[in-house]
Amino acid sequence: MNINLTLIGQSITFIFFVIFCLKYVWPPIMNALEERKTKIADGLAAADKGKHEEELAKKGAAETLRKAKEESAEIISHAQKRASEIIEEAKDAARAEADRLVHAAQAEIEQEANRAREHLRGQVVTLAVAGAEKVLKREIDEKANEDLLKDLVAQL
Amino acid sequence: MASDALTSTDYISHHLQNWTYGLHPQNGWSFAHSAAEAKAMGFWAIHVDTMLWSILLGLAFIFFFHREARKATAGVPSGMQNFVEMVVEFIDTSVRGSFTSKNKLVPPMALTVFVWIFLMNFMDLIPVDWLPWVAGQVGANVFGVDPHHVYFKVVSTTDPNATIGMALTVFALMIFFSIKVKGIGGFVGELTLHPFHSHNMAVQVFLIPFNLFLELVSLISKPISLALRLFGNMYAGEMIFILIAIMFSAGMLLAAVTGLSMDTILGGLLTLGGALLHMGWAIFHILVITLQAFIFMTLTIVYMDMAHSDH
């Protein structure tokens, strides 16, 4: 346990190792650690950002969906309204057409009846004239005349 | 058993003797063949085993850490890089915790101190006879010297030269940074104007010697306590390992010499007890060597911090 040169030797060795460590060991390891720290921090920040964006996107999607639903509901109600309108219109048109047809038919019937009446009147006149002629030709024969008039009346 | 006691003493003193190379008054520059010769060399001698092991272990530390530092990436660390980073982070946290100023030297110095001292202490856990026995065999068979004259202490930190050497280096750095940060005036002022301070000039001059005395004591006690704490712990631990080794080698000897008798059982028990004791002490010592390395490192950081801070 003598104190001797070893002491100085140890000091020199110690200083050498410390300097070596200072120059070649500590900096690269610390750099790697720092770099990793920033990398991890960046990664976490990116993950946070991603989450935030996802949330925004979700919100956006929900909004769009809601809007689409509203729109579609509106469109459907529009369509329904329009359909009932069309049906009403069609009903109205059909009713009008029917009325028109009925009126036309009635008019035609009336016309036909008028025509038949005219025709009948013509025939009556003709018959009356013919009856008159016959009456005039056979004035003497009262009995026959009477028969003729009876015939005429029966024909009317 | 008188001869046994003598050999025990020899055994212990042999184990505590360093392998010394130095300038002997009669033999000139040579290896010391005995403790007396080593003593005669005085200051101009070097403990070859201390230097050898401390340099070997220091190189192992540097080689290993440097290899990992070169490969260090910011990506996913693997295998040994994990371990190295863990140690470095641990040191970095310790330094951040106790060192308040900025100095690029302190963290790597703390790392070196911790790992290097830990490795040197760790040699204590290798059974006390293995490496000296190997050295003795090499000495006897390769260099043709009496194995009894081959001294080989493998735990560098049980050599006060090693611990004092390191402590003095830390001390020198302390003073260097004290002067660098506070200037010579600040450094001297720190030594002379505290703890007793007066605004009266005359009283202050009168107080200076007391302050100087107190501050010098506290200043000088720092490297001494630093060195002796490590040395004392490791020396005591080594000593206990040696005593345990004696105990169970004595047991084995007893069993071998006396043959089948009550002594055999006693010898066997001694051996078993010795082995158990050795194991127990070794397990406990794992704590001690780590703790001592940690304390040396922490005190180094704290002393450097004191050197950097103004009162």
Side-chain angles (χ1 to χ4, degrees):
Chain A
M1 289 220 287
N2 315 308
I3 298 298
N4 54 28
L5 268 183
T6 316
L7 193 150
I8 292 162
Q10 275 287 320
S11 305
I12 294 167
T13 319
F14 180 48
I15 290 167
F16 166 77
F17 286 142
V18 169
I19 290 172
F20 190 93
C21 190
L22 170 72
K23 283 242 186 293
Y24 302 108
V25 175
W26 191 263
I29 294 177
M30 278 328 268
N31 284 344
L33 288 178
E34 281 301 315
E35 210 175 303
R36 188 177 310 140
K37 206 186 265 176
T38 46
K39 246 188 182 177
I40 291 172
D42 286 354
L44 287 177
D48 271 353
K49 214 177 130 195
K51 223 181 232 171
H52 185 66
E53 264 166 22
E54 193 203 339
E55 226 157 80
L56 278 185
K58 254 186 197 166
K59 254 185 216 164
E63 180 71 12
T64 313
L65 199 64
R66 199 181 57 75
K67 260 189 194 162
K69 266 184 188 163
E70 255 172 35
E71 235 163 76
S72 66
E74 205 176 315
I75 286 170
I76 285 170
S77 70
H78 251 285
Q80 273 169 348
K81 217 165 112 190
R82 181 85 194 107
S84 58
E85 259 175 29
I86 286 172
I87 288 169
E88 283 306 310
E89 267 170 30
K91 271 183 186 166
D92 284 352
R95 211 171 283 134
E97 181 68 13
D99 279 355
R100 198 182 60 79
L101 283 178
V102 167
H103 281 302
Q106 273 174 348
E108 205 165 319
I109 288 165
E110 220 164 292
Q111 226 171 353
E112 272 314 307
N114 281 344
R115 200 180 294 143
R117 210 172 282 143
E118 286 302 319
H119 187 65
L120 211 63
R121 201 171 287 145
Q123 274 186 339
V124 168
V125 170
T126 320
L127 274 176
V129 170
E133 267 175 8
K134 275 175 183 170
V135 168
L136 286 174
K137 277 172 188 169
R138 299 166 78 192
E139 270 178 319
I140 320 153
D141 194 354
E142 270 207 352
K143 229 182 166 187
N145 217 356
E146 203 176 328
D147 287 349
L148 235 127
L149 280 174
K150 270 184 188 168
D151 254 11
L152 186 71
V153 170
Q155 269 184 13
L156 274 173
Chain B
M1 295 299 263
S3 64
D4 256 354
L6 187 67
T7 50
S8 291
T9 316
D10 283 348
Y11 178 83
I12 294 172
S13 55
H14 189 267
H15 263 289
L16 295 180
Q17 178 58 40
N18 279 102
W19 179 17
T20 316
Y21 180 79
L23 183 62
H24 191 264
Q26 273 89 51
N27 305 345
W29 284 98
S30 61
F31 286 108
H33 294 295
S34 64
E37 269 184 42
K39 211 170 186 73
M41 286 172 180
F43 184 76
W44 294 107
I46 193 150
H47 292 156
V48 183
D49 43 8
T50 301
M51 291 306 293
L52 179 76
W53 280 111
S54 60
I55 290 173
L56 263 181
L57 293 168
L59 287 178
F61 151 64
I62 268 182
F63 171 76
F64 181 65
F65 272 67
H66 181 229
R67 203 186 58 176
E68 293 304 324
R70 239 185 11 214
K71 290 192 298 188
T73 58
V76 180
S78 61
M80 289 326 284
Q81 198 193 332
N82 265 323
F83 172 73
V84 167
E85 279 180 7
M86 193 188 79
V87 175
V88 168
E89 285 235 82
F90 166 65
I91 305 288
D92 195 48
T93 322
S94 301
V95 173
R96 272 174 215 279
S98 338
F99 190 70
T100 45
S101 317
K102 283 246 173 281
N103 189 338
K104 274 189 168 168
L105 179 70
V106 174
M109 181 160 81
L111 176 67
T112 312
V113 164
F114 181 69
V115 181
W116 194 31
I117 291 179
F118 176 78
L119 288 175
M120 289 195 281
N121 289 353
F122 187 81
M123 298 304 287
D124 218 358
L125 295 179
I126 297 173
V128 282
D129 279 317
W130 285 11
L131 291 170
W133 181 81
V134 170
Q137 293 301 308
V138 170
N141 298 321
V142 180
F143 300 103
V145 265
D146 184 357
H148 276 292
H149 291 160
V150 177
Y151 301 103
F152 204 60
K153 254 177 99 176
V154 294
V155 191
S156 302
T157 39
T158 57
D159 182 349
N161 288 297
T163 59
I164 294 174
M166 283 186 284
L168 284 183
T169 313
V170 172
F171 184 59
L173 283 171
M174 255 173 78
I175 291 177
F176 172 76
F177 282 117
S178 267
I179 293 174
K180 196 181 160 199
V181 172
K182 298 166 226 170
I184 291 189
F187 180 61
V188 172
E190 204 168 69
L191 286 180
T192 51
L193 303 178
H194 293 274
F196 304 117
H197 187 69
S198 169
H199 292 293
N200 187 325
M201 261 307 202
V203 178
Q204 183 61 53
V205 167
F206 171 73
L207 285 174
I208 279 174
F210 296 103
N211 285 336
L212 191 62
F213 174 73
L214 285 170
E215 286 293 320
L216 274 183
V217 166
S218 86
L219 185 71
I220 289 165
S221 70
K222 281 171 192 166
I224 293 176
S225 71
L226 195 59
L228 293 188
R229 179 181 298 109
L230 178 60
F231 163 71
N233 275 284
M234 297 322 295
Y235 189 80
E238 174 89 335
M239 196 70 195
I240 288 170
F241 274 124
I242 293 171
L243 292 176
I244 291 170
I246 288 177
M247 177 178 158
F248 70 89
S249 58
M252 278 196 274
L253 199 71
L254 216 63
V257 168
T258 53
L260 281 167
S261 71
M262 276 303 287
D263 287 349
T264 318
I265 298 159
L266 186 67
L269 281 177
L270 265 179
T271 311
L272 190 68
L276 282 176
L277 266 180
H278 185 271
M279 201 176 78
W281 181 242
I283 290 170
F284 177 65
H285 215 57
I286 293 173
L287 185 71
V288 174
I289 61 174
T290 318
L291 194 66
Q292 285 308 317
F294 179 71
I295 289 174
F296 200 102
M297 177 197 82
T298 308
L299 285 179
T300 304
I301 298 170
V302 169
Y303 290 163
M304 294 305 285
D305 181 51
M306 286 164 101
H308 281 74
S309 58
D310 276 309
H311 286 292

